[in-house]
Amino acid sequence: MQTDQLYLRDAYQTTAEATVVAVRDDGAVALDRTVFYATGGGQPHDVGTLADSSGNEWQVVEVRKQGDLVWHSLAFDDGVEPPTNGQPVTGTIDWGRRLRLMRTHTALHILCGVIWNEWGVLVTGGNMEPLSARMDFEFSPLPEGFAAGVTDLVNAEIAADRPIEVSFLGRAAALADPELIRTKVNLIPESVTDIRVVDIVGLDRQADGGTHVASTGAVGRFEITKTESKGRGNKRVRVVLHDA
């Protein structure tokens, strides 16, 4: 059994009917299909609810992928039982939070695209929260006027409202393209045979498993708030997003 991760094909789907295929001792459940993003690639998991046809509802508080299954950790009142194996449920994500994460993730790809196109520099790490993030790059040192110049370049790409397309490539074909992997270390597990590619048309094309908005114009206004040195060849860039 493998959980169908619906968000890989449609990040705007907010709800889906599913069936519980496994239950852990702590009450966490795995589903046959899910709209909940599982923590990974620097992007936090979604939150939301599972509900059944009898009116029972469980809060989804953490989502993790283990092997082929996506596990949903639940919070529920005393006396309420978790869903049972084979039970049909409806999963619904917190859309406001998901959209903020989508905007943030896309902003980081724009940032990567701008830096790659200007300097050919790789990413060494990163993490995000809704509307704020950090990303580390292999700079030593940062170019003069970096923060102001890159902020202007990123906001220009947002204003260009470039479309964002998702496709899938076989592993061999994807790894044969050196520009698809922009991280210093290839983070794609060996078990992944079809690699998902996110293409900000005309700017940036990367292997990526996260959720993104449909075009750069949906990101909002981008700002670099701080740059830090994390050692030789490793510079940290902290960013926030504002509503347009």
Side-chain angles (χ1 to χ4, degrees), residues 79-172:
V80 176
E81 295 295 324
T84 57
N85 201 0
Q87 182 175 352
V89 292
T90 299
T92 304
I93 60 170
D94 178 338
W95 170 243
R97 183 176 184 276
R98 159 71 74 81
L99 181 58
R100 292 190 291 273
L101 284 166
M102 289 164 60
R103 291 168 56 192
T104 306
H105 201 162
T106 298
L108 293 179
H109 276 234
I110 299 171
L111 175 64
C112 287
V114 164
I115 289 178
W116 179 260
N117 293 337
E118 290 289 320
W119 294 285
V121 169
L122 293 172
V123 175
T124 55
N127 194 38
M128 75 187 80
E129 296 296 334
L131 303 185
S132 68
R134 65 165 176 84
M135 185 152 279
D136 299 345
F137 293 93
E138 198 177 27
F139 276 113
S140 184
L142 284 177
E144 187 174 351
F146 174 87
V150 170
T151 293
D152 289 343
L153 289 171
V154 170
N155 281 317
E157 296 294 348
I158 292 170
D161 200 21
R162 294 182 182 272
I164 298 171
E165 300 175 352
V166 174
S167 60
F168 293 84
L169 285 177
R171 184 181 185 89

Side-chain angles (χ1 to χ4, degrees), residues 1-211:
M1 176 61 68
Q2 181 175 359
T3 302
D4 184 3
Q5 300 164 79
L6 300 173
Y7 50 81
L8 292 177
R9 298 185 298 276
D10 183 3
Y12 284 82
Q13 183 174 349
T14 62
T15 187
E17 295 179 355
T19 300
V20 176
V21 295
V23 182
R24 290 197 313 229
D25 290 342
D26 63 1
V29 299
L31 305 177
D32 65 339
R33 60 203 302 262
T34 187
V35 289
F36 286 85
Y37 182 81
T39 295
Q43 180 174 334
H45 61 80
D46 286 319
V47 297
T49 61
L50 296 183
D52 66 12
S53 59
S54 298
N56 298 309
E57 185 174 275
W58 302 268
Q59 297 294 319
V60 177
V61 295
E62 186 177 30
V63 187
R64 298 276 179 175
K65 188 172 186 291
Q66 295 180 345
D68 290 334
L69 294 177
V70 175
W71 288 90
H72 306 69
S73 295
L74 306 177
F76 41 88
D77 295 333
D78 291 341
V80 176
E81 295 295 324
T84 57
N85 201 0
Q87 182 175 352
V89 292
T90 299
T92 304
I93 60 170
D94 178 338
W95 170 243
R97 183 176 184 276
R98 159 71 74 81
L99 181 58
R100 292 190 291 273
L101 284 166
M102 289 164 60
R103 291 168 56 192
T104 306
H105 201 162
T106 298
L108 293 179
H109 276 234
I110 299 171
L111 175 64
C112 287
V114 164
I115 289 178
W116 179 260
N117 293 337
E118 290 289 320
W119 294 285
V121 169
L122 293 172
V123 175
T124 55
N127 194 38
M128 75 187 80
E129 296 296 334
L131 303 185
S132 68
R134 65 165 176 84
M135 185 152 279
D136 299 345
F137 293 93
E138 198 177 27
F139 276 113
S140 184
L142 284 177
E144 187 174 351
F146 174 87
V150 170
T151 293
D152 289 343
L153 289 171
V154 170
N155 281 317
E157 296 294 348
I158 292 170
D161 200 21
R162 294 182 182 272
I164 298 171
E165 300 175 352
V166 174
S167 60
F168 293 84
L169 285 177
R171 184 181 185 89
L175 296 184
D177 185 344
E179 293 199 355
L180 283 184
I181 310 298
R182 296 287 179 78
T183 53
K184 189 171 177 61
V185 177
N186 185 348
L187 302 176
I188 301 172
E190 292 290 338
S191 60
V192 177
T193 57
D194 290 320
I195 292 178
R196 183 173 178 264
V197 176
V198 174
D199 185 2
I200 303 176
V201 177
L203 173 67
D204 181 73
R205 186 168 176 264
Q206 291 189 56
D208 181 75
T211 60

